[in-house]
DNA sequence: GCGGTCTGATTGTCCGGACATACACATTGA
DNA sequence: TCAATGTGTATGTCCGGACAATCAGACCGC
């Protein structure tokens, strides 16, 4: 029983996308077991009434995701288990929500300030020009988890304090029509300064996890620069790195 | 002067790859300035004597890398500066070498042990079955930088202590014909236990950066599981995350 | 002046075909 | 027995064409 696949030619969603989604779903639910061959592309195309390039395009996206492996002369097979879907550019808010933690946010600062040299360099704006500054305390279960300090270029969208407390920065950006593309991150650790310690209900000198991040949209524009500190007993970074071929 | 591009049809390297490399080089050296249009695909194909699908394939790889942006009805333009090339799955050894630090490695342990439950789960082998265990101390400028404890499934390749001291684990894997695909990482921080502190020439309770990683090859097989601790004053993680569309 | 509409340009999707290349396996030869 | 050779099969590369969807800007009517 060679797996039921169908495409809807009247749908506006591209055929290759329909196919790749169905294949991904089949893998996800175990209908395609790890190691099993997918059947050759020509036959698959014929069965679906598609052309080979279209089938190849569908397969390629899953290969990029690491769900399939192609081997010349052998065929395309489902990857040998393990590898889960690569994590997206993580949003602390989404992470917490996914973990069922019901995050709460307290906006400490939401204002416009002149850009320091560091911020100006990160956002690629003139030093001293206006940038938004947002400082937040993120909590879960009533306990502080992280201190987030972000800078954004002006005119991107309006930063409403109420919205900032209700959701995450990334969601607001996406809602404003910004397509996030990538982020450059730096993760380190250091002992908490007295001021930091108090904010996060830790002792001075306690280990803190630090993250600096610049996020870019799909035009290569820097849309956010942030310096974050996390309580390592409450949070750690989980993500998946892909090797670029 | 619309940029000099040429492909060599007698070369065994694929045409789309030749083209994408030339375009990338042109962007890298500034011959294609950020924001500039690339010229439409049909005309470009005609100028190079290639077909449009081939040109598209070349462009697509650069779009995936974040160097180009396509906009329907407008054209393809070079991304608006900033975004550098995404970092590869980082190898501490390569990182250090790239930074001109001339890393040194001291192999503390190189043996075969029965897999603990945690290791067995990570490597997807039976609990209690044989796995390699490698423990290393990595130093730069005579100072310890990180303590690396790795587990590898048996029979992958032979772990020579001498080679382990001369280069990094990833390089050995690649040399053994293993194609790395992705890695799942978890980065956190904690205070150093007395034993750890002594190993890394830190004080007990000093902040340490910790990383756990499972690396997969292109068939989805787990090829390495490691628990590392770093001195945060000497090292931090830098990488680029891509948003999966 | 202002807003909607038409038009041209460009990428997005899809097709059908052709040949090259690499791998697994069976066959053959020493 | 073992290595070299052949063979089939699958993916890899490339072509030429067709039509659709979308964007920017010019055009037109109010």
């Amino acid at each position: 029983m060679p797996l039921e696949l169908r495409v809807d030619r009247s749908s506006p969603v591209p055929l290759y996308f329909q196919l790749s989604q169905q294949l991904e779903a089949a893998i996800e639910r175990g209908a395609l077991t790890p190691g099993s061959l997918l059947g050759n592309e020509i036959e698959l195309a014929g069965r679906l009434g598609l052309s080979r390039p279209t089938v190849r395009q569908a397969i390629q996206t899953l290969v990029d995701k690491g769900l399939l492996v192609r081997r010349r002369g052998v065929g395309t097979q489902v990857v040998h288990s393990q590898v889960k879907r690569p994590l997206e550019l993580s949003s602390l808010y989404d992470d917490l929500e996914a973990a069922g933690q019901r995050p709460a946010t307290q906006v400490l600062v939401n204002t416009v300030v002149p850009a320091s040299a560091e911020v100006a360099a990160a956002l690629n704006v003139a030093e001293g020009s206006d940038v938004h500054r947002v400082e937040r305390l993120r909590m879960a279960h009533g306990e502080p988890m992280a201190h987030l300090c972000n800078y954004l270029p002006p005119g991107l969208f309006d930063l409403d304090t109420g919205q900032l407390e209700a959701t995450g920065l990334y969601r607001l950006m996406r809602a404003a029509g910004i397509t996030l593309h990538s982020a450059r991150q730096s993760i380190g650790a250091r002992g908490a300064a007295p001021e930091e310690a108090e904010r996060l209900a830790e002792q001075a000198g306690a280990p803190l996890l630090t993250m600096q991040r610049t996020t870019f949209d799909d035009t290569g524009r820097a849309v956010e620069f942030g310096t974050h500190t996390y309580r390592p007993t409450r949070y750690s970074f989980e993500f998946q790195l892909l090797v670029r071929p």
Side-chain angles (χ1 to χ4, degrees), chain A residues 18-82:
Chain A
Q18 292 184 38
L19 178 53
S20 78
Q21 281 208 319
Q22 286 185 38
L23 288 174
E24 182 167 2
I27 294 169
E28 203 80 18
R29 71 167 189 271
L32 283 172
T33 56
S36 66
L37 270 304
L38 200 60
N40 78 56
E41 298 169 349
I42 312 224
E43 183 262 347
L44 193 55
R47 213 172 66 205
L48 287 161
L50 298 174
S51 70
R52 189 177 163 219
T54 303
V55 172
R56 273 182 72 76
Q57 194 172 359
I59 291 177
Q60 188 58 47
T61 66
L62 298 184
V63 171
D64 290 341
K65 284 193 185 180
L67 293 173
L68 296 177
V69 193
R70 332 175 81 136
R71 274 194 294 160
R72 205 188 284 216
V74 180
T76 304
Q77 48 186 319
V78 181
V79 105
H80 228 296
S81 77
Q82 292 276 357

Side-chain angles (χ1 to χ4, degrees), chain A residues 96-202:
Chain A
L96 293 174
E97 200 172 53
Q101 295 226 19
R102 208 170 42 79
T105 306
Q106 183 183 336
V107 175
L108 304 176
V109 173
N110 182 4
T111 180
V112 173
V113 298
S116 68
E118 184 188 23
V119 170
L123 293 180
N124 201 24
V125 299
E127 190 175 338
S129 69
D130 283 354
V131 293
H132 289 282
R133 175 191 163 99
V134 175
E135 210 170 304
R136 293 168 294 168
L137 200 61
R138 184 137 297 162
M139 290 166 293
H141 299 134
E143 285 250 11
M145 279 205 48
H147 176 257
L148 318 170
C149 176
N150 290 92
Y151 297 88
L152 293 89
L156 218 57
F157 63 103
D158 60 290
L159 288 155
D160 179 67
T161 298
Q163 287 190 310
L164 281 170
E165 304 211 322
T167 182
L169 196 53
Y170 280 6
R171 281 202 198 168
L172 288 177
M173 286 196 195
R174 279 191 254 258
I178 298 170
T179 309
L180 268 30
H181 176 269
S182 63
R184 187 161 280 264
Q185 303 197 344
S186 173
I187 298 179
R190 64 158 189 269
E195 205 180 277
E196 289 177 315
E198 190 181 337
R199 267 196 310 238
L200 294 173
E202 289 272 358

Side-chain angles (χ1 to χ4, degrees), chain A residues 85-105 136 138-141 145-146 148 166-171 174 185 187 209 211 213 228 230 234-240:
Chain A
R85 82 181 57 183
L87 296 188
E88 286 191 10
L89 177 54
S90 69
S91 148
L92 176 55
Y93 189 88
D94 293 341
D95 285 358
L96 293 174
E97 200 172 53
Q101 295 226 19
R102 208 170 42 79
T105 306
R136 293 168 294 168
R138 184 137 297 162
M139 290 166 293
H141 299 134
M145 279 205 48
L148 318 170
T167 182
L169 196 53
Y170 280 6
R171 281 202 198 168
R174 279 191 254 258
Q185 303 197 344
I187 298 179
L209 195 55
M211 191 258 277
R213 170 161 68 186
H228 301 179
Y230 302 83
R234 308 252 156 195
Y235 188 74
S236 63
F237 292 97
E238 312 246 345
F239 55 94
Q240 180 149 345

